Amino acid sequence: MTLADGIWQQIFVFDDYGELLALVRNSLVAGAALGLIGGLAGVFVILRDLPFAVHGISELSFAGASAALLMGVNVVAGSIIGSLVAAAVIGVMGARARDRNSAIGIIMPFGLGLGVLFLALYKGRAANKFGLLTGQIVAVDTPQMTWLLATSAVVLIALAVMWRPLSFASADPDVAEARGVPVRGLSLAFMLVLGLAVALSVQVVGALLVLTLVVTPAAAAVRVTASPVLLPVLSVVFAVVSIEGGILLALGSSIPISPYVTTISFALYAVCRLVGVRPRRRRGAGRRVTAPEPAF
């Protein structure tokens, strides 16, 4: 057997696939819920230019989960507490983009440092430490799934309530504020909802790669549509396909789930980028000046 064959068999292993599939039933259910909330929240992350905030929140979510692991309490609860603290700080300190990015730049290394400290003090299984950073395919047991589904329901209800005013405030905050929309309050509320979404995503893809669920699907969707209806639908579809496909491909492999999820997510983005660029080039054929492309 060559080295390439050995690597390939580590990446894709389908021996006893049917028996192994039963082990990830909870993960598949949780993945569908995470894809739904990640895809919906990601729409506003893109519209409000908050990808950096997602990364900052994930670092304190990692710190909270690490502290919970060290103390032997619910890891999901620790992750949620860490995310909410980070989201609240960013929401309060970051009224303007420059101030927000400065706050995130301060929070990120602090959260990561705390997480590393807690993991260094933890004497349990190394897989538990590694899973907080890169995700675990069979880490979602029944109590954790209950937490995940309950918190997902809270996120969905909150997004449903604030969807219309938040869309208005994201598109034109000055006009929205002039018409009586509580722009600052909505901004803080969405940051807290985003904190919950990030905390849940960390449980499956890990703190280092949470952007692939909360940012990439929406960034792909915005490349091919500007419809206020189709955009969130495509974002959710891309997020669910990425996480469920990643779980199914990683099943039975010795490789963590996150490379599979990130690869599928990036592939979807690449296809959407190509599809989104080609029509624009055809419309601009024969002209010297073409319309500028969107940021994502």
Side-chain angles (χ1 to χ4, degrees):
M1 179 184 298
T2 65
L3 178 61
D5 291 335
I7 293 176
W8 185 258
Q9 288 186 3
Q10 282 185 306
I11 296 176
F12 296 105
V13 180
F14 296 100
D15 297 335
D16 301 321
Y17 195 82
E19 290 79 3
L20 293 172
L21 192 60
L23 298 177
V24 294
R25 187 173 303 165
N26 285 350
S27 294
L28 290 172
V29 174
L34 294 180
L36 178 60
I37 65 171
L40 292 176
V43 171
F44 292 108
V45 170
I46 296 301
L47 293 179
R48 301 173 72 87
D49 192 22
L50 293 173
F52 193 40
V54 172
H55 195 37
I57 293 172
S58 71
E59 300 294 358
L60 270 196
S61 178
F62 163 65
S66 301
L69 187 65
L70 176 63
M71 293 184 290
V73 298
N74 192 294
V75 174
V76 179
S79 178
I80 290 174
I81 292 172
S83 287
L84 290 179
V85 169
V89 171
I90 294 172
V92 171
M93 295 179 62
R96 293 176 298 178
R98 184 172 60 184
D99 296 335
R100 183 179 65 230
N101 289 338
S102 298
I104 297 169
I106 295 169
I107 290 172
M108 281 176 56
F110 175 68
L112 186 59
L114 282 180
V116 171
L117 171 63
F118 296 144
L119 289 188
L121 296 174
Y122 177 69
K123 302 303 181 183
R125 294 174 61 239
N128 292 336
K129 301 180 181 181
F130 195 57
L132 291 179
L133 293 172
T134 60
Q136 299 184 76
I137 186 171
V138 292
V140 184
D141 55 21
T142 300
Q144 282 182 318
M145 189 174 70
T146 302
W147 270 88
L148 288 170
L149 294 180
T151 310
S152 297
V154 172
V155 172
L156 288 177
I157 293 171
L159 285 175
V161 170
M162 68 174 68
W163 190 274
R164 288 179 63 86
L166 186 61
S167 298
F168 187 16
S170 301
D172 197 332
D174 294 331
V175 174
E177 189 170 17
R179 293 191 178 183
V181 176
V183 175
R184 288 181 177 271
L186 277 175
S187 178
L188 178 58
F190 174 68
M191 288 304 301
L192 294 176
V193 170
L194 180 60
L196 290 176
V198 170
L200 299 181
S201 300
V202 165
Q203 304 307 310
V204 175
V205 295
L208 297 181
L209 300 171
V210 71
L211 293 173
T212 197
L213 277 186
V214 185
V215 176
T216 309
V222 83
R223 294 294 307 184
V224 294
T225 183
S227 167
V229 175
L230 191 56
L231 177 58
V233 170
L234 281 181
S235 180
V236 168
V237 169
F238 292 158
V240 171
V241 168
S242 298
I243 190 167
E244 300 287 22
I247 291 173
L248 293 175
L249 287 176
L251 185 59
S253 171
S254 59
I255 308 297
I257 181 180
S258 47
Y260 299 94
V261 178
T262 54
T263 300
I264 296 173
S265 184
F266 178 78
L268 290 171
Y269 174 78
V271 171
C272 289
R273 185 175 180 87
L274 290 174
V275 171
V277 168
R278 285 176 180 173
R280 188 179 301 278
R281 287 179 176 174
R282 286 197 296 268
R283 289 195 301 268
R287 302 178 185 175
R288 291 186 178 182
V289 179
T290 57
E293 296 181 4
F296 289 91

